[in-house]
Amino acid sequence: KHALWIVVLALGVLCWGQRLLEIPEYDGRDRVHELTNKNYKTVMKKYDIMVIYYHKAIGENLMARKQLEVEELALELAAQVLDDLHDKDIGFGLVDVKKDVAVAKKLGLEEVDSIYIFIDDEIIEYDGELAAETLVEFLYDVIKDPVEIINNERELKGFFNLVEDIKLVGYFKNEDSLSKYISYTKKSLIATNLKLDLNEVNFYEPFMDEPVIIPGKPYTEAELIDYIEEHDRPTLRKLEPHSMYETWEDDINGQHIVAFAEESDPDGFEFLEILKEVAGVNTENPDLSILWIDPDDFPLLVPYWEKTFGIDLSSPQIGVVDVKDADSIWMEMDDEENMPTANELDIWIEEVLVGKIDPNDNEDHDDFDDIDSEDSDEEKEKKDNEEEDDADKNDDEINYNDD
Amino acid sequence: KHALWIVVLALGVLCWGQRLLEIPEYDGRDRVHELTNKNYKTVMKKYDIMVIYYHKAIGENLMARKQLEVEELALELAAQVLDDLHDKDIGFGLVDVKKDVAVAKKLGLEEVDSIYIFIDDEIIEYDGELAAETLVEFLYDVIKDPVEIINNERELKGFFNLVEDIKLVGYFKNEDSLSKYISYTKKSLIATNLKLDLNEVNFYEPFMDEPVIIPGKPYTEAELIDYIEEHDRPTLRKLEPHSMYETWEDDINGQHIVAFAEESDPDGFEFLEILKEVAGVNTENPDLSILWIDPDDFPLLVPYWEKTFGIDLSSPQIGVVDVKDADSIWMEMDDEENMPTANELDIWIEEVLVGKIDPNDNEDHDDFDDIDSEDSDEEKEKKDNEEEDDADKNDDEINYNDD
């Protein structure tokens, strides 16, 4: 009651027009439930959708507790904002991996530090950034009908405009069981444009103009799901805040080929075009999955990445990163006005895949796994990437210790 | 020292690979300077770029103090992240409108609640969301060279891909004084594609495929700046977090025509295409500036907008909003599968411009300016927008009071 009063007061200060653009801040009211064996059924029954954060045990660790507090705040803000949603009741809950073993087991929670979304009879895992904005945006997508009916040229253009995710499109005369899951058209002209036969479903990898016809029509739902699961590691994929940890965990032999390119920058755009061309050529290769990161999506990480990898992210970069120790090696591009050709990039990727280019081969490298001290790792990075700019380094930076 | 130690400890918990994607949190160290008449010169001399938040006096108001604390935290996080930047030193400072009158005067700070960025001999005003992410991203753009040299077809495609901002492009044989400010090409083939004569500069409004040739070549710098300032209110513009307040303040006769469309949704994309078409037809009209809001950019505001405007943002919407009292009226679109044609939209906009459609005309409307109570305004909105969904409304909602 008290917290609410404060909010009303705060709103009084602003005029209506300004309020329309005021990004909400947490009002202090508790909305996130701590789920226990006793209350979880009652709580979950109250909501159409339940968002559960399955978190680590906190115990005595001060930092872990502080971390959880920040995460809880993000969930509280999300819950507060979604309170205003008119057509769905969305609840939020916490399950502690140690204290609430029974609840976790009953709900089928498996991966700690993940968020599980219970909607209808489905459970969707969220393994992205724990920030209110990102989570709330993801929830809108969860609520939304994933199927679009493509009726005209403009809608078709809109369909082609979605390049960052896997998409399926079919040509059906009647709504059948599959049309619950797949964007489709009933118009033969559109089907012709999509090069679809009746009852056929096409599969588009991210960033690919040409689809693959899923073999074996007519399909059952299970057959389609199998096909998608078999093909869910695309040749080129974008790191997105709402699925970043999930994507990052899906490395290939402990490594990621990472490309940094800012789409809204002409050089970044140019590099991305070359990248798509190379991906198109290699789309049949199951051992290749290039991770594209647009620095614009992760502004707070840019200086840290520049420092760790010893690269300048104001122009495009491509490299190989060892996911365990963050060692990395980057393609040399001498001049941002002079991008590699698709062919040069293809050869470079080939050399990565056969192991000729390897982040762990870097000669000045000591391969120590001791990661307790930030300093030693920082030096390791620095040694690899001595830059001209180092000339004017700060006094508080650590000297290299050559061992 | 103590704060630093905690951070090092925290990093020890994570493995390197995970750390690469860990969005930084504030480490507790003070980096933002409180500028006073005594220290401001010394502080500002220490940095290449200085970011100054010119804030309201806090005084006794509890909410204002709380608000400033949250804003300071955002600035602290931005300062912390940018500490790692290798090629620029960026400093942050606070100036209190009441306590630091002299400093504000000397630095030329005018608009309270704005952020001023001092770089070289320029002062750039930031009037966007006060969040670390948005501000840091904006600062990267400030640092970056705004000029691109367009050498090939792919770079040209990258240039055309930038549709959301005003852009200028010229054709110069030599680097001249203008080439410091304007993207340009030296290649005659590219110039032909751009339909440019030598020494000519073209002006592109946001979302317009066809440029306007700036008359009177060869130009002086001042002539170009004058031209841009005269034409800086485009027919269609996007609300962006880094300039949202500035854009919102630039209303036309106290109103905004607001279009909600999610670009990554096929329906939203379709509507946006129609919108661009209509904007193209009306580009000569100085009284028309449609504000496009992509709900994806403001996830935390979506439920609040839906409630205030009484609309459903899961499909496209266009309406007129009174910026003073947030009254609004929205175009009827009965079915999301059935968008208005460009012609229908054009007629609707025409009616708005001549005042036939006016948010303040809404018959069940009481035009009271009393905005102290949240409740009464909420009801006002509700009355205008009775929805079917209201059937299952919560108990704690307020009953309509028909007065």
Side-chain angles (χ1 to χ4, degrees):
Chain A
K1 279 255 169 225
H2 181 63
L4 261 179
W5 175 83
I6 292 184
V7 181
V8 174
L9 194 92
L11 302 179
V13 181
L14 295 164
C15 104
W16 262 100
Q18 277 179 288
R19 248 200 85 190
L20 284 173
L21 298 188
E22 203 66 23
I23 311 285
E25 277 157 21
Y26 178 43
D27 63 12
R29 206 173 109 193
D30 275 340
R31 292 176 182 86
V32 177
H33 305 268
E34 297 203 17
L35 299 184
T36 64
N37 217 352
K38 265 187 183 160
N39 74 3
Y40 84 97
K41 276 190 191 155
T42 328
V43 170
M44 289 180 73
K45 226 174 264 167
K46 277 170 61 184
Y47 299 98
D48 302 317
I49 297 164
M50 192 73 201
V51 181
I52 297 177
Y53 180 35
Y54 184 43
H55 62 85
K56 277 199 281 280
I58 357 164
E60 296 302 298
N61 186 325
L62 187 77
M63 279 310 297
R65 196 178 301 166
K66 186 110 187 60
Q67 174 80 13
L68 184 65
E69 261 171 40
V70 173
E71 291 166 346
E72 261 191 79
L73 266 181
L75 296 177
E76 287 286 2
L77 179 57
Q80 168 188 330
V81 163
L82 295 172
D83 243 7
D84 267 346
L85 213 65
H86 68 291
D87 56 352
K88 292 267 186 250
D89 284 325
I90 305 186
F92 286 76
L94 298 174
V95 171
D96 185 303
V97 67
K98 215 160 164 185
K99 277 200 306 195
D100 309 314
V101 181
V103 182
K105 206 176 162 191
K106 273 177 197 146
L107 293 175
L109 314 183
E110 282 173 358
E111 201 180 336
V112 184
D113 271 347
S114 275
I115 286 176
Y116 290 88
I117 299 158
F118 290 76
I119 175 169
D120 302 328
D121 294 325
E122 275 186 287
I123 304 177
I124 297 167
E125 200 182 330
Y126 173 85
D127 202 6
E129 188 192 358
L130 221 165
E133 281 213 324
T134 319
L135 178 59
V136 164
E137 204 189 326
F138 183 81
L139 287 168
Y140 296 146
D141 283 337
V142 166
I143 296 169
K144 208 163 60 178
D145 188 359
V147 173
E148 294 289 334
I149 306 168
I150 301 170
N151 285 313
N152 59 46
E153 283 296 319
R154 270 212 193 89
E155 285 173 3
L156 189 61
K157 203 172 156 191
F159 175 79
F160 283 129
N161 183 53
L162 301 171
V163 293
E164 290 168 9
D165 297 305
I166 283 175
K167 60 191 181 210
L168 295 176
V169 63
Y171 175 30
F172 305 120
K173 271 289 163 223
N174 307 299
E175 255 116 291
D176 75 352
S177 62
L178 292 179
S179 61
K180 269 190 299 178
Y181 310 98
I182 298 168
S183 293
Y184 63 96
T185 189
K186 290 182 182 176
K187 306 255 164 104
S188 61
L189 194 69
I190 302 281
T192 311
N193 276 341
L194 285 162
K195 295 174 206 153
L196 276 170
D197 281 345
L198 196 61
N199 295 322
E200 199 166 63
V201 174
N202 274 356
F203 175 90
Y204 287 80
E205 247 196 38
F207 308 106
M208 295 295 158
D209 295 331
E210 287 302 313
V212 178
I213 300 165
I214 300 186
K217 68 159 181 166
Y219 328 90
T220 64
E221 196 188 315
E223 282 167 350
L224 281 181
I225 292 173
D226 281 350
Y227 185 88
I228 297 161
E229 284 182 350
E230 242 170 72
H231 294 81
D232 76 343
R233 186 192 273 160
T235 314
L236 178 61
R237 53 183 159 173
K238 189 177 180 186
L239 192 74
E240 308 223 54
H242 68 261
S243 56
M244 54 196 280
Y245 300 120
E246 189 184 323
T247 308
W248 189 255
E249 277 168 30
D250 184 33
D251 57 71
I252 299 180
N253 303 323
Q255 297 185 345
H256 274 300
I257 296 182
V258 175
F260 287 103
E262 196 185 329
E263 196 173 13
S264 71
D265 173 272
D267 289 324
F269 184 88
E270 186 187 355
F271 187 68
L272 199 54
E273 290 283 296
I274 300 169
L275 209 57
K276 286 178 197 169
E277 198 180 320
V278 175
V281 174
N282 291 288
T283 183
E284 300 290 328
N285 187 343
D287 294 328
L288 178 64
S289 185
I290 303 165
L291 202 56
W292 164 38
I293 302 180
D294 190 328
D296 268 357
D297 295 332
F298 303 93
L300 298 185
L301 283 168
V302 165
Y304 173 67
W305 283 335
E306 287 190 331
K307 195 172 145 192
T308 306
F309 297 139
I311 50 177
D312 173 4
L313 289 180
S314 68
S315 58
Q317 302 285 353
I318 188 164
V320 197
V321 177
D322 185 305
V323 297
K324 220 174 124 205
D325 55 17
D327 282 350
S328 67
I329 185 164
W330 300 86
M331 187 180 188
E332 273 194 47
M333 301 198 229
D334 13 70
D335 184 357
E336 66 177 52
E337 301 301 336
N338 201 359
M339 296 281 155
T341 63
N343 197 33
E344 283 164 356
L345 196 58
D346 193 40
I347 290 169
W348 184 89
I349 288 171
E350 188 56 39
E351 291 188 340
V352 171
L353 293 180
V354 299
K356 264 168 89 180
I357 295 173
D358 188 322
N360 301 305
D361 273 357
N362 241 334
E363 44 291 328
D364 351 69
H365 245 270
D366 316 295
D367 243 329
F368 51 93
D369 287 323
D370 168 42
I371 52 158
D372 281 345
S373 142
E374 193 193 19
D375 301 352
S376 53
D377 274 83
E378 251 184 45
E379 287 164 49
K380 203 160 58 143
E381 293 308 324
K382 249 189 224 134
K383 252 160 97 182
D384 298 340
N385 309 297
E386 293 180 30
E387 288 191 319
E388 335 146 315
D389 311 52
D390 271 354
D392 53 22
K393 64 170 175 285
N394 296 331
D395 294 336
D396 56 0
E397 279 187 60
I398 310 103
N399 294 319
Y400 303 154
N401 62 355
D402 304 81
D403 44 359
Chain B
K1 281 250 170 231
H2 181 65
L4 262 180
W5 175 82
I6 293 184
V7 181
V8 174
L9 194 94
L11 302 179
V13 180
L14 295 165
C15 103
W16 263 99
Q18 275 179 289
R19 249 199 84 190
L20 284 173
L21 299 187
E22 203 66 23
I23 311 284
E25 277 158 19
Y26 177 42
D27 63 12
R29 209 173 108 192
D30 275 341
R31 291 178 183 83
V32 177
H33 305 268
E34 297 203 15
L35 299 184
T36 64
N37 218 353
K38 266 190 185 158
N39 73 3
Y40 84 97
K41 274 190 193 156
T42 329
V43 170
M44 289 179 75
K45 226 174 263 168
K46 276 171 60 186
Y47 298 98
D48 303 318
I49 297 165
M50 192 74 201
V51 182
I52 297 177
Y53 181 35
Y54 184 43
H55 62 85
K56 277 200 281 276
I58 359 165
E60 296 301 297
N61 187 325
L62 187 77
M63 278 312 296
R65 197 177 302 166
K66 185 112 187 59
Q67 175 81 11
L68 184 65
E69 262 171 41
V70 173
E71 291 166 346
E72 263 191 77
L73 266 182
L75 296 177
E76 287 285 3
L77 180 55
Q80 167 189 331
V81 163
L82 294 172
D83 244 5
D84 267 346
L85 214 63
H86 68 292
D87 55 352
K88 292 264 187 253
D89 283 325
I90 306 186
F92 285 76
L94 297 175
V95 172
D96 186 304
V97 67
K98 217 163 165 182
K99 276 199 306 193
D100 309 314
V101 180
V103 183
K105 207 174 162 195
K106 273 178 200 149
L107 292 175
L109 313 183
E110 283 174 356
E111 201 180 335
V112 184
D113 270 349
S114 274
I115 287 176
Y116 291 88
I117 299 158
F118 290 75
I119 176 170
D120 302 328
D121 294 326
E122 278 188 285
I123 304 176
I124 298 167
E125 200 182 330
Y126 174 86
D127 202 8
E129 188 192 356
L130 220 165
E133 280 213 324
T134 318
L135 178 59
V136 165
E137 205 188 325
F138 184 80
L139 287 169
Y140 296 147
D141 282 338
V142 166
I143 296 170
K144 210 164 59 179
D145 187 1
V147 173
E148 293 289 334
I149 306 168
I150 302 171
N151 286 311
N152 58 47
E153 282 297 320
R154 272 211 191 90
E155 284 173 3
L156 188 61
K157 204 173 156 191
F159 174 79
F160 283 130
N161 183 52
L162 301 172
V163 294
E164 290 167 10
D165 296 305
I166 283 176
K167 61 191 180 211
L168 295 177
V169 63
Y171 175 29
F172 305 120
K173 270 288 164 224
N174 307 299
E175 256 115 288
D176 75 352
S177 63
L178 293 178
S179 61
K180 269 191 297 178
Y181 309 99
I182 298 166
S183 292
Y184 64 96
T185 189
K186 291 182 183 176
K187 305 255 163 105
S188 62
L189 193 71
I190 302 281
T192 312
N193 275 343
L194 284 163
K195 295 175 206 152
L196 274 170
D197 282 344
L198 196 61
N199 294 323
E200 198 166 65
V201 174
N202 273 356
F203 175 91
Y204 287 81
E205 246 196 39
F207 308 107
M208 295 295 159
D209 294 331
E210 288 301 314
V212 178
I213 300 167
I214 300 186
K217 68 160 180 164
Y219 327 93
T220 64
E221 198 187 312
E223 281 167 353
L224 281 181
I225 292 173
D226 281 351
Y227 185 89
I228 297 163
E229 283 181 351
E230 239 172 73
H231 294 80
D232 76 342
R233 186 192 272 160
T235 314
L236 178 60
R237 53 183 160 174
K238 190 176 179 186
L239 192 75
E240 309 224 54
H242 68 261
S243 56
M244 54 196 279
Y245 300 120
E246 188 186 323
T247 307
W248 190 255
E249 276 167 30
D250 183 34
D251 57 72
I252 299 180
N253 304 322
Q255 297 186 345
H256 274 300
I257 297 182
V258 175
F260 287 103
E262 196 185 330
E263 196 174 14
S264 71
D265 174 273
D267 289 324
F269 183 89
E270 185 186 355
F271 188 67
L272 199 55
E273 289 283 297
I274 299 168
L275 209 55
K276 286 178 197 169
E277 198 180 321
V278 176
V281 174
N282 291 287
T283 183
E284 300 291 330
N285 187 341
D287 295 329
L288 178 64
S289 184
I290 303 165
L291 201 56
W292 164 38
I293 302 180
D294 190 327
D296 268 356
D297 294 331
F298 303 92
L300 298 185
L301 283 168
V302 165
Y304 172 68
W305 284 335
E306 288 190 329
K307 195 172 145 190
T308 307
F309 298 137
I311 50 177
D312 174 2
L313 289 180
S314 68
S315 58
Q317 302 284 353
I318 188 165
V320 197
V321 177
D322 185 305
V323 296
K324 216 173 125 207
D325 55 16
D327 281 351
S328 68
I329 185 164
W330 299 86
M331 186 180 190
E332 274 195 47
M333 301 197 230
D334 14 70
D335 185 357
E336 65 176 55
E337 302 303 334
N338 203 358
M339 295 282 154
T341 63
N343 196 34
E344 283 164 357
L345 196 57
D346 193 40
I347 291 168
W348 184 88
I349 287 171
E350 190 55 40
E351 291 188 342
V352 171
L353 293 180
V354 299
K356 265 168 88 180
I357 296 173
D358 187 322
N360 301 305
D361 274 358
N362 241 335
E363 45 288 328
D364 352 70
H365 246 270
D366 315 295
D367 244 327
F368 51 95
D369 287 325
D370 168 41
I371 52 157
D372 281 345
S373 141
E374 191 192 20
D375 301 351
S376 53
D377 275 83
E378 251 184 46
E379 287 163 50
K380 200 160 61 141
E381 291 308 326
K382 249 190 223 130
K383 250 162 103 177
D384 297 341
N385 308 297
E386 293 180 30
E387 288 190 320
E388 335 146 318
D389 312 51
D390 270 354
D392 52 22
K393 67 167 175 283
N394 296 332
D395 295 336
D396 56 1
E397 282 188 59
I398 311 102
N399 295 318
Y400 302 155
N401 63 355
D402 303 80
D403 44 358

